[in-house]
Amino acid sequence: MKVVVLVKHVPDVQSERRIDDGLLVRGEDDVLNEVDENAVEAAVVLVEEAGGEVIAVTMGPEDAVDAVRRALQMGADSGLHVCDEELAGTDALGTARVLAAAVRRIGDVDLVLAGMSAADGDMGVVPAALAADLNWPVLSVAAELSVADGAATITRTVDRTDETLRAQLPAVVSVTDQVNEPRIPAFKAMMAARKKQVEEIDLAELGLADAVEADSGALLGRQGAGTAVREAAEKPAREAGTVITDTGDAGQQLAHYLAKVMK
């Protein structure tokens, strides 16, 4: 079985985020997207049980390769890093198209696994958009996953209803943090990961360079993604709160305050 697991380098949720020229600054306290760890674990377990290989794939600037290296430490066999300046600022649609091209380049892929969303944008649409581009079935927000007899089966909860869904391979599956408990790499695994291959490619090697046209609303890239960021600003500093001194009418004061701020 050949499994591709999608990983993303995102700002640590506990870190201060900065915006420069309308873009979120990358590479400062960035980590592997948390739920992507669950996807890596699911991929590694499947291959441990059925045989095959796990290929960790990411798209992003130079520092994004750290997400792939973390996946290698967790047990992935090799990595692929799509890195091209033309992709700066692209959106979920552009990302899905690039990743789909990467999957095609790898070839003979049975399953693509991904976390259900990324902590930086929290859109959760890339797995479905990727599946649409590949014309593969997609099983989303899996809390349980199994693969047998050439098909993937998931269990998920949607609107308090438990669902079991099945799709023939090849397929795309996105997982939640309920699907497993990601392993913590041992020192030996971390050292072994240094010897694993990570291939870096650009849009030209994916056959997508001609799709980027700086001024014409192209398929990919900051100028021509499916959406455009018109303005971005850092969140304002928190203002001092209102202190209510209880003189016997604190409840009334609180009610008046809430009515005022909720207008």
Side-chain angles (χ1 to χ4, degrees):
M1 178 182 296
K2 185 181 290 187
V3 181
V4 165
V5 59
L6 307 180
V7 295
K8 189 174 185 181
H9 207 218
V10 299
D12 190 320
V13 294
Q14 302 299 326
S15 66
E16 290 294 327
R17 304 189 183 189
R18 298 192 303 106
I19 294 176
D20 183 19
D21 192 25
L23 296 177
L24 182 66
V25 175
R26 299 282 182 173
E28 298 179 353
D29 300 319
D30 286 7
V31 295
L32 172 60
N33 184 52
E34 188 171 1
V35 74
D36 289 353
E37 293 186 2
N38 298 94
V40 173
E41 178 67 20
V44 172
V45 168
L46 285 174
V47 167
E48 286 175 344
E49 294 175 349
E53 63 176 320
V54 176
I55 305 166
V57 176
T58 196
M59 185 194 92
E62 291 184 3
D63 290 338
V65 73
D66 289 346
V68 172
R69 298 199 181 281
R70 179 63 176 178
L72 298 180
Q73 293 174 359
M74 294 177 65
D77 299 290
S78 62
L80 179 65
H81 177 201
V82 183
C83 184
D84 196 305
E85 291 182 357
E86 294 291 347
L87 291 171
T90 195
D91 64 354
L93 179 61
T95 298
R97 286 172 171 158
V98 171
L99 294 176
V103 172
R104 292 190 185 96
R105 185 179 187 274
I106 293 170
D108 299 322
V109 174
D110 299 292
L111 183 66
V112 174
L113 287 174
M116 63 178 288
S117 64
D120 53 355
D122 202 27
M123 296 185 67
V125 300
V126 168
L130 170 72
D133 198 291
L134 293 171
N135 197 28
W136 290 5
V138 59
L139 302 174
S140 58
V141 294
E144 297 179 15
L145 168 65
S146 62
V147 175
D149 301 323
T153 302
I154 72 162
T155 300
R156 67 182 186 182
T157 301
V158 178
D159 294 332
R160 300 183 181 181
T161 300
D162 292 335
E163 299 179 341
T164 298
L165 304 176
R166 185 173 185 270
Q168 292 296 125
L169 302 181
V172 177
V173 176
S174 70
V175 302
T176 69
D177 59 2
Q178 297 176 325
V179 74
N180 54 40
E181 185 68 32
R183 69 192 65 189
I184 298 175
F187 179 75
K188 183 177 180 180
M190 296 173 69
M191 295 301 294
R194 295 185 177 185
K195 299 179 181 180
K196 296 179 180 179
Q197 179 183 3
V198 179
E199 183 182 7
E200 182 178 307
I201 60 175
D202 57 19
L203 288 174
E205 292 171 279
L206 285 177
L208 296 176
D210 292 340
V212 181
E213 301 171 11
D215 299 315
S216 63
L219 292 176
L220 304 170
R222 187 176 180 185
Q223 299 293 335
T227 57
V229 176
R230 298 301 183 190
E231 183 180 353
E234 296 183 23
K235 64 181 180 180
R238 297 182 64 177
E239 299 179 357
T242 299
V243 178
I244 296 176
T245 302
D246 188 1
T247 58
D249 61 347
Q252 290 180 328
Q253 291 186 60
L254 178 59
H256 288 311
Y257 172 77
L258 292 175
K260 178 180 178 180
V261 300
M262 297 179 67
K263 282 184 179 180

